Amino acid sequence: MQDIFTVAGKSVFITGASRGIGKAIALAFQKAGARVTGLGSRPESVDWMADSGITPLVGDVADPDFMPGAIEQVIKHHGTIDCLINNAGVNANVPASSTKDETFQHLLDVNVRGLFRACQAYYKARRKEGGVIINVASIAGFIAAPLNTAYSATKGAVLQLTRSLAVEWAGSNFRVNAICPGIIDTDMSARVTGSEGNRAKAEAFIPMKRIGKPEELVGAALFLASEASSYMTGQLIVVDGGVSAQ
Ligand SMILES: NC(=O)c1ccc[n+]([C@@H]2O[C@H](COP(=O)([O-])OP(=O)(O)OC[C@H]3O[C@@H](n4cnc5c(N)ncnc54)[C@H](OP(=O)(O)O)[C@@H]3O)[C@@H](O)[C@H]2O)c1
């Protein structure tokens, strides 16, 4: 029987692949036989990729001119992009009352406008064939995230972008889905995981009583990139140890 979960041979472009969740996904797809291109924002953050069989790319997703060229470059190198994974993201742990306008703007530029531009560029490059988009959102997109209000608003926007694009582009053979991680052990969650006291508090709140590992997002990404999810679009998969089920 054909393995419906396989991504072998597929060309996959992952943003924010230099660290954390994106790195775990990039390495797993590479191991599964995909041809992976990984984006980081700085040359030094992607220097490990070539040795791991991943094609490195450097650029700023918030730069309005960057993504169309990047998509073209990946297509030129790998012949196509079967799956785009929009994972690059930034947060800001600040009380709502002292969140600066420029902080909010930066979160919007990276998490929302950068991601939207990547979707647009991918759609334009693949409008004849169709494609698969996976957006990495967050449970903060649909539950309260105190001290992360601006971030949670951007992730809510990612969920709505995902649903609307899925419906708008379904007739062009695109599938657009989202993954919503809970608290995952990466640089981004250092405020929560960095001190023993905060970590213990977070673990007590999580039904599974532990912080997630970046590798625990891999299964959802492989599923959404593969034929196993061929009739699925506009949906979100939550990977949060039960937090949002409470
Ligand atoms: N960790 C969590 O608890 C958690 C929970 C829910 C959702 N998420 C989401 O999961 C995704 C990955 O998070 P993470 O925890 O793995 O974060 P992370 O460890 O902080 O890594 C962030 C990644 O995004 C890249 N990036 C940031 N700004 C960029 C820009 N302007 N242009 C290009 N790349 C940029 C970084 O590249 P450099 O290495 O070059 O800086 C890095 O690869 C994010 O969308 C995040 O919102 C995370």
PDB file of all heavy atoms in Angstrom, residues 44-74:
ATOM      1  N   GLU A  44      24.486  33.685  10.173  1.00  0.00           N
ATOM      2  CA  GLU A  44      25.029  32.794  11.209  1.00  0.00           C
ATOM      3  C   GLU A  44      23.966  31.837  11.764  1.00  0.00           C
ATOM      4  O   GLU A  44      24.298  30.801  12.328  1.00  0.00           O
ATOM      5  CB  GLU A  44      25.699  33.587  12.341  1.00  0.00           C
ATOM      6  CG  GLU A  44      24.818  34.584  13.069  1.00  0.00           C
ATOM      7  CD  GLU A  44      24.773  35.968  12.402  1.00  0.00           C
ATOM      8  OE1 GLU A  44      24.987  36.071  11.175  1.00  0.00           O
ATOM      9  OE2 GLU A  44      24.498  36.947  13.124  1.00  0.00           O
ATOM     10  N   SER A  45      22.688  32.155  11.573  1.00  0.00           N
ATOM     11  CA  SER A  45      21.677  31.248  12.135  1.00  0.00           C
ATOM     12  C   SER A  45      21.369  30.072  11.197  1.00  0.00           C
ATOM     13  O   SER A  45      20.738  29.108  11.608  1.00  0.00           O
ATOM     14  CB  SER A  45      20.393  32.010  12.521  1.00  0.00           C
ATOM     15  OG  SER A  45      19.829  32.673  11.436  1.00  0.00           O
ATOM     16  N   VAL A  46      21.831  30.151   9.953  1.00  0.00           N
ATOM     17  CA  VAL A  46      21.557  29.031   9.021  1.00  0.00           C
ATOM     18  C   VAL A  46      22.833  28.246   8.682  1.00  0.00           C
ATOM     19  O   VAL A  46      22.789  27.336   7.855  1.00  0.00           O
ATOM     20  CB  VAL A  46      20.893  29.516   7.707  1.00  0.00           C
ATOM     21  CG1 VAL A  46      19.582  30.227   7.993  1.00  0.00           C
ATOM     22  CG2 VAL A  46      21.818  30.418   6.888  1.00  0.00           C
ATOM     23  N   ASP A  47      23.959  28.575   9.362  1.00  0.00           N
ATOM     24  CA  ASP A  47      25.223  27.967   8.919  1.00  0.00           C
ATOM     25  C   ASP A  47      25.316  26.465   9.182  1.00  0.00           C
ATOM     26  O   ASP A  47      26.155  25.781   8.619  1.00  0.00           O
ATOM     27  CB  ASP A  47      26.444  28.740   9.451  1.00  0.00           C
ATOM     28  CG  ASP A  47      26.472  28.819  10.967  1.00  0.00           C
ATOM     29  OD1 ASP A  47      25.647  28.138  11.603  1.00  0.00           O
ATOM     30  OD2 ASP A  47      27.316  29.569  11.510  1.00  0.00           O
ATOM     31  N   TRP A  48      24.439  25.914  10.020  1.00  0.00           N
ATOM     32  CA  TRP A  48      24.441  24.466  10.298  1.00  0.00           C
ATOM     33  C   TRP A  48      23.686  23.674   9.219  1.00  0.00           C
ATOM     34  O   TRP A  48      23.816  22.452   9.132  1.00  0.00           O
ATOM     35  CB  TRP A  48      23.779  24.193  11.660  1.00  0.00           C
ATOM     36  CG  TRP A  48      22.355  24.684  11.730  1.00  0.00           C
ATOM     37  CD1 TRP A  48      21.929  25.901  12.156  1.00  0.00           C
ATOM     38  CD2 TRP A  48      21.178  23.979  11.323  1.00  0.00           C
ATOM     39  NE1 TRP A  48      20.556  26.006  12.045  1.00  0.00           N
ATOM     40  CE2 TRP A  48      20.073  24.841  11.540  1.00  0.00           C
ATOM     41  CE3 TRP A  48      20.932  22.701  10.803  1.00  0.00           C
ATOM     42  CZ2 TRP A  48      18.761  24.459  11.247  1.00  0.00           C
ATOM     43  CZ3 TRP A  48      19.628  22.327  10.517  1.00  0.00           C
ATOM     44  CH2 TRP A  48      18.554  23.204  10.732  1.00  0.00           C
ATOM     45  N   MET A  49      22.893  24.364   8.387  1.00  0.00           N
ATOM     46  CA  MET A  49      21.915  23.661   7.534  1.00  0.00           C
ATOM     47  C   MET A  49      22.550  22.795   6.441  1.00  0.00           C
ATOM     48  O   MET A  49      22.132  21.652   6.231  1.00  0.00           O
ATOM     49  CB  MET A  49      20.932  24.651   6.904  1.00  0.00           C
ATOM     50  CG  MET A  49      19.935  25.216   7.888  1.00  0.00           C
ATOM     51  SD  MET A  49      18.730  26.263   7.047  1.00  0.00           S
ATOM     52  CE  MET A  49      17.900  26.983   8.449  1.00  0.00           C
ATOM     53  N   ALA A  50      23.548  23.352   5.749  1.00  0.00           N
ATOM     54  CA  ALA A  50      24.120  22.626   4.609  1.00  0.00           C
ATOM     55  C   ALA A  50      24.632  21.255   5.039  1.00  0.00           C
ATOM     56  O   ALA A  50      24.402  20.246   4.354  1.00  0.00           O
ATOM     57  CB  ALA A  50      25.222  23.449   3.964  1.00  0.00           C
ATOM     58  N   ASP A  51      25.269  21.190   6.224  1.00  0.00           N
ATOM     59  CA  ASP A  51      25.797  19.906   6.721  1.00  0.00           C
ATOM     60  C   ASP A  51      24.679  18.915   7.042  1.00  0.00           C
ATOM     61  O   ASP A  51      24.916  17.709   7.139  1.00  0.00           O
ATOM     62  CB  ASP A  51      26.625  20.126   8.005  1.00  0.00           C
ATOM     63  CG  ASP A  51      27.961  20.760   7.690  1.00  0.00           C
ATOM     64  OD1 ASP A  51      28.350  20.768   6.510  1.00  0.00           O
ATOM     65  OD2 ASP A  51      28.601  21.270   8.640  1.00  0.00           O
ATOM     66  N   SER A  52      23.471  19.413   7.244  1.00  0.00           N
ATOM     67  CA  SER A  52      22.336  18.529   7.547  1.00  0.00           C
ATOM     68  C   SER A  52      21.481  18.263   6.316  1.00  0.00           C
ATOM     69  O   SER A  52      20.353  17.746   6.425  1.00  0.00           O
ATOM     70  CB  SER A  52      21.456  19.165   8.634  1.00  0.00           C
ATOM     71  OG  SER A  52      22.203  19.384   9.795  1.00  0.00           O
ATOM     72  N   GLY A  53      21.985  18.651   5.152  1.00  0.00           N
ATOM     73  CA  GLY A  53      21.255  18.354   3.909  1.00  0.00           C
ATOM     74  C   GLY A  53      20.098  19.297   3.648  1.00  0.00           C
ATOM     75  O   GLY A  53      19.188  18.991   2.874  1.00  0.00           O
ATOM     76  N   ILE A  54      20.108  20.458   4.302  1.00  0.00           N
ATOM     77  CA  ILE A  54      19.038  21.453   4.118  1.00  0.00           C
ATOM     78  C   ILE A  54      19.608  22.643   3.353  1.00  0.00           C
ATOM     79  O   ILE A  54      20.706  23.117   3.655  1.00  0.00           O
ATOM     80  CB  ILE A  54      18.482  21.894   5.492  1.00  0.00           C
ATOM     81  CG1 ILE A  54      17.779  20.690   6.160  1.00  0.00           C
ATOM     82  CG2 ILE A  54      17.532  23.081   5.365  1.00  0.00           C
ATOM     83  CD1 ILE A  54      17.476  20.883   7.619  1.00  0.00           C
ATOM     84  N   THR A  55      18.867  23.122   2.358  1.00  0.00           N
ATOM     85  CA  THR A  55      19.331  24.277   1.583  1.00  0.00           C
ATOM     86  C   THR A  55      19.048  25.550   2.383  1.00  0.00           C
ATOM     87  O   THR A  55      17.885  25.846   2.684  1.00  0.00           O
ATOM     88  CB  THR A  55      18.581  24.366   0.233  1.00  0.00           C
ATOM     89  OG1 THR A  55      18.679  23.114  -0.419  1.00  0.00           O
ATOM     90  CG2 THR A  55      19.173  25.461  -0.640  1.00  0.00           C
ATOM     91  N   PRO A  56      20.112  26.288   2.754  1.00  0.00           N
ATOM     92  CA  PRO A  56      19.886  27.484   3.578  1.00  0.00           C
ATOM     93  C   PRO A  56      19.503  28.714   2.758  1.00  0.00           C
ATOM     94  O   PRO A  56      19.949  28.874   1.625  1.00  0.00           O
ATOM     95  CB  PRO A  56      21.252  27.716   4.243  1.00  0.00           C
ATOM     96  CG  PRO A  56      22.254  27.058   3.353  1.00  0.00           C
ATOM     97  CD  PRO A  56      21.550  26.050   2.490  1.00  0.00           C
ATOM     98  N   LEU A  57      18.686  29.544   3.351  1.00  0.00           N
ATOM     99  CA  LEU A  57      18.307  30.812   2.731  1.00  0.00           C
ATOM    100  C   LEU A  57      18.241  31.852   3.851  1.00  0.00           C
ATOM    101  O   LEU A  57      17.788  31.538   4.956  1.00  0.00           O
ATOM    102  CB  LEU A  57      16.938  30.646   2.061  1.00  0.00           C
ATOM    103  CG  LEU A  57      16.522  31.686   1.030  1.00  0.00           C
ATOM    104  CD1 LEU A  57      17.462  31.667  -0.174  1.00  0.00           C
ATOM    105  CD2 LEU A  57      15.094  31.387   0.553  1.00  0.00           C
ATOM    106  N   VAL A  58      18.679  33.060   3.544  1.00  0.00           N
ATOM    107  CA  VAL A  58      18.686  34.119   4.566  1.00  0.00           C
ATOM    108  C   VAL A  58      17.835  35.285   4.083  1.00  0.00           C
ATOM    109  O   VAL A  58      17.932  35.690   2.919  1.00  0.00           O
ATOM    110  CB  VAL A  58      20.129  34.622   4.830  1.00  0.00           C
ATOM    111  CG1 VAL A  58      20.124  35.780   5.820  1.00  0.00           C
ATOM    112  CG2 VAL A  58      21.002  33.488   5.362  1.00  0.00           C
ATOM    113  N   GLY A  59      17.004  35.801   4.951  1.00  0.00           N
ATOM    114  CA  GLY A  59      16.209  36.975   4.588  1.00  0.00           C
ATOM    115  C   GLY A  59      15.234  37.327   5.682  1.00  0.00           C
ATOM    116  O   GLY A  59      15.029  36.561   6.631  1.00  0.00           O
ATOM    117  N   ASP A  60      14.627  38.486   5.521  1.00  0.00           N
ATOM    118  CA  ASP A  60      13.694  39.011   6.517  1.00  0.00           C
ATOM    119  C   ASP A  60      12.266  38.899   5.971  1.00  0.00           C
ATOM    120  O   ASP A  60      11.934  39.559   4.985  1.00  0.00           O
ATOM    121  CB  ASP A  60      14.062  40.481   6.790  1.00  0.00           C
ATOM    122  CG  ASP A  60      13.160  41.135   7.806  1.00  0.00           C
ATOM    123  OD1 ASP A  60      12.220  40.481   8.310  1.00  0.00           O
ATOM    124  OD2 ASP A  60      13.390  42.330   8.109  1.00  0.00           O
ATOM    125  N   VAL A  61      11.445  38.073   6.595  1.00  0.00           N
ATOM    126  CA  VAL A  61      10.066  37.917   6.087  1.00  0.00           C
ATOM    127  C   VAL A  61       9.268  39.221   6.178  1.00  0.00           C
ATOM    128  O   VAL A  61       8.259  39.378   5.493  1.00  0.00           O
ATOM    129  CB  VAL A  61       9.287  36.785   6.814  1.00  0.00           C
ATOM    130  CG1 VAL A  61       9.918  35.437   6.598  1.00  0.00           C
ATOM    131  CG2 VAL A  61       9.102  37.076   8.290  1.00  0.00           C
ATOM    132  N   ALA A  62       9.737  40.154   7.021  1.00  0.00           N
ATOM    133  CA  ALA A  62       9.031  41.433   7.150  1.00  0.00           C
ATOM    134  C   ALA A  62       9.370  42.408   6.029  1.00  0.00           C
ATOM    135  O   ALA A  62       8.715  43.443   5.887  1.00  0.00           O
ATOM    136  CB  ALA A  62       9.352  42.069   8.500  1.00  0.00           C
ATOM    137  N   ASP A  63      10.384  42.069   5.243  1.00  0.00           N
ATOM    138  CA  ASP A  63      10.775  42.934   4.120  1.00  0.00           C
ATOM    139  C   ASP A  63       9.793  42.695   2.959  1.00  0.00           C
ATOM    140  O   ASP A  63       9.726  41.589   2.420  1.00  0.00           O
ATOM    141  CB  ASP A  63      12.217  42.573   3.710  1.00  0.00           C
ATOM    142  CG  ASP A  63      12.680  43.317   2.462  1.00  0.00           C
ATOM    143  OD1 ASP A  63      11.867  44.010   1.826  1.00  0.00           O
ATOM    144  OD2 ASP A  63      13.870  43.178   2.132  1.00  0.00           O
ATOM    145  N   PRO A  64       9.041  43.731   2.569  1.00  0.00           N
ATOM    146  CA  PRO A  64       8.004  43.532   1.543  1.00  0.00           C
ATOM    147  C   PRO A  64       8.551  42.995   0.218  1.00  0.00           C
ATOM    148  O   PRO A  64       7.826  42.361  -0.533  1.00  0.00           O
ATOM    149  CB  PRO A  64       7.420  44.933   1.340  1.00  0.00           C
ATOM    150  CG  PRO A  64       7.901  45.767   2.452  1.00  0.00           C
ATOM    151  CD  PRO A  64       9.101  45.109   3.070  1.00  0.00           C
ATOM    152  N   ASP A  65       9.836  43.266  -0.050  1.00  0.00           N
ATOM    153  CA  ASP A  65      10.401  42.838  -1.338  1.00  0.00           C
ATOM    154  C   ASP A  65      11.016  41.441  -1.290  1.00  0.00           C
ATOM    155  O   ASP A  65      11.435  40.915  -2.317  1.00  0.00           O
ATOM    156  CB  ASP A  65      11.495  43.829  -1.788  1.00  0.00           C
ATOM    157  CG  ASP A  65      10.921  45.215  -1.983  1.00  0.00           C
ATOM    158  OD1 ASP A  65       9.760  45.309  -2.435  1.00  0.00           O
ATOM    159  OD2 ASP A  65      11.616  46.198  -1.655  1.00  0.00           O
ATOM    160  N   PHE A  66      11.108  40.847  -0.108  1.00  0.00           N
ATOM    161  CA  PHE A  66      11.905  39.623   0.006  1.00  0.00           C
ATOM    162  C   PHE A  66      11.207  38.359  -0.526  1.00  0.00           C
ATOM    163  O   PHE A  66      11.787  37.587  -1.295  1.00  0.00           O
ATOM    164  CB  PHE A  66      12.327  39.401   1.469  1.00  0.00           C
ATOM    165  CG  PHE A  66      12.973  38.068   1.688  1.00  0.00           C
ATOM    166  CD1 PHE A  66      14.220  37.786   1.138  1.00  0.00           C
ATOM    167  CD2 PHE A  66      12.316  37.065   2.397  1.00  0.00           C
ATOM    168  CE1 PHE A  66      14.821  36.541   1.314  1.00  0.00           C
ATOM    169  CE2 PHE A  66      12.898  35.823   2.572  1.00  0.00           C
ATOM    170  CZ  PHE A  66      14.150  35.554   2.031  1.00  0.00           C
ATOM    171  N   MET A  67       9.954  38.134  -0.142  1.00  0.00           N
ATOM    172  CA  MET A  67       9.373  36.801  -0.334  1.00  0.00           C
ATOM    173  C   MET A  67       9.145  36.372  -1.792  1.00  0.00           C
ATOM    174  O   MET A  67       9.443  35.217  -2.127  1.00  0.00           O
ATOM    175  CB  MET A  67       8.086  36.677   0.486  1.00  0.00           C
ATOM    176  CG  MET A  67       7.724  35.281   0.897  1.00  0.00           C
ATOM    177  SD  MET A  67       9.062  34.142   1.325  1.00  0.00           S
ATOM    178  CE  MET A  67       9.112  34.240   3.093  1.00  0.00           C
ATOM    179  N   PRO A  68       8.674  37.274  -2.676  1.00  0.00           N
ATOM    180  CA  PRO A  68       8.501  36.815  -4.069  1.00  0.00           C
ATOM    181  C   PRO A  68       9.803  36.265  -4.651  1.00  0.00           C
ATOM    182  O   PRO A  68       9.819  35.192  -5.276  1.00  0.00           O
ATOM    183  CB  PRO A  68       8.035  38.078  -4.801  1.00  0.00           C
ATOM    184  CG  PRO A  68       7.386  38.911  -3.746  1.00  0.00           C
ATOM    185  CD  PRO A  68       8.173  38.662  -2.495  1.00  0.00           C
ATOM    186  N   GLY A  69      10.909  36.983  -4.411  1.00  0.00           N
ATOM    187  CA  GLY A  69      12.216  36.542  -4.918  1.00  0.00           C
ATOM    188  C   GLY A  69      12.651  35.235  -4.269  1.00  0.00           C
ATOM    189  O   GLY A  69      13.232  34.361  -4.919  1.00  0.00           O
ATOM    190  N   ALA A  70      12.374  35.101  -2.972  1.00  0.00           N
ATOM    191  CA  ALA A  70      12.776  33.885  -2.246  1.00  0.00           C
ATOM    192  C   ALA A  70      12.043  32.660  -2.801  1.00  0.00           C
ATOM    193  O   ALA A  70      12.641  31.600  -3.011  1.00  0.00           O
ATOM    194  CB  ALA A  70      12.482  34.056  -0.756  1.00  0.00           C
ATOM    195  N   ILE A  71      10.746  32.830  -3.049  1.00  0.00           N
ATOM    196  CA  ILE A  71       9.945  31.713  -3.593  1.00  0.00           C
ATOM    197  C   ILE A  71      10.506  31.313  -4.964  1.00  0.00           C
ATOM    198  O   ILE A  71      10.701  30.121  -5.251  1.00  0.00           O
ATOM    199  CB  ILE A  71       8.453  32.128  -3.707  1.00  0.00           C
ATOM    200  CG1 ILE A  71       7.850  32.378  -2.325  1.00  0.00           C
ATOM    201  CG2 ILE A  71       7.646  31.109  -4.517  1.00  0.00           C
ATOM    202  CD1 ILE A  71       7.370  31.189  -1.548  1.00  0.00           C
ATOM    203  N   GLU A  72      10.807  32.320  -5.787  1.00  0.00           N
ATOM    204  CA  GLU A  72      11.383  32.042  -7.119  1.00  0.00           C
ATOM    205  C   GLU A  72      12.712  31.303  -6.997  1.00  0.00           C
ATOM    206  O   GLU A  72      12.991  30.362  -7.733  1.00  0.00           O
ATOM    207  CB  GLU A  72      11.603  33.355  -7.893  1.00  0.00           C
ATOM    208  CG  GLU A  72      10.330  33.981  -8.435  1.00  0.00           C
ATOM    209  CD  GLU A  72       9.453  33.008  -9.223  1.00  0.00           C
ATOM    210  OE1 GLU A  72       9.997  32.196  -9.991  1.00  0.00           O
ATOM    211  OE2 GLU A  72       8.227  33.051  -9.046  1.00  0.00           O
ATOM    212  N   GLN A  73      13.529  31.749  -6.032  1.00  0.00           N
ATOM    213  CA  GLN A  73      14.851  31.148  -5.832  1.00  0.00           C
ATOM    214  C   GLN A  73      14.723  29.667  -5.441  1.00  0.00           C
ATOM    215  O   GLN A  73      15.462  28.818  -5.943  1.00  0.00           O
ATOM    216  CB  GLN A  73      15.557  31.916  -4.712  1.00  0.00           C
ATOM    217  CG  GLN A  73      17.065  31.884  -4.787  1.00  0.00           C
ATOM    218  CD  GLN A  73      17.663  32.730  -3.664  1.00  0.00           C
ATOM    219  OE1 GLN A  73      17.163  33.812  -3.331  1.00  0.00           O
ATOM    220  NE2 GLN A  73      18.735  32.236  -3.066  1.00  0.00           N
ATOM    221  N   VAL A  74      13.788  29.359  -4.554  1.00  0.00           N
ATOM    222  CA  VAL A  74      13.610  27.963  -4.119  1.00  0.00           C
ATOM    223  C   VAL A  74      13.102  27.117  -5.290  1.00  0.00           C
ATOM    224  O   VAL A  74      13.564  25.987  -5.514  1.00  0.00           O
ATOM    225  CB  VAL A  74      12.629  27.870  -2.916  1.00  0.00           C
ATOM    226  CG1 VAL A  74      12.427  26.409  -2.510  1.00  0.00           C
ATOM    227  CG2 VAL A  74      13.140  28.681  -1.739  1.00  0.00           C
TER     228      VAL A  74
END
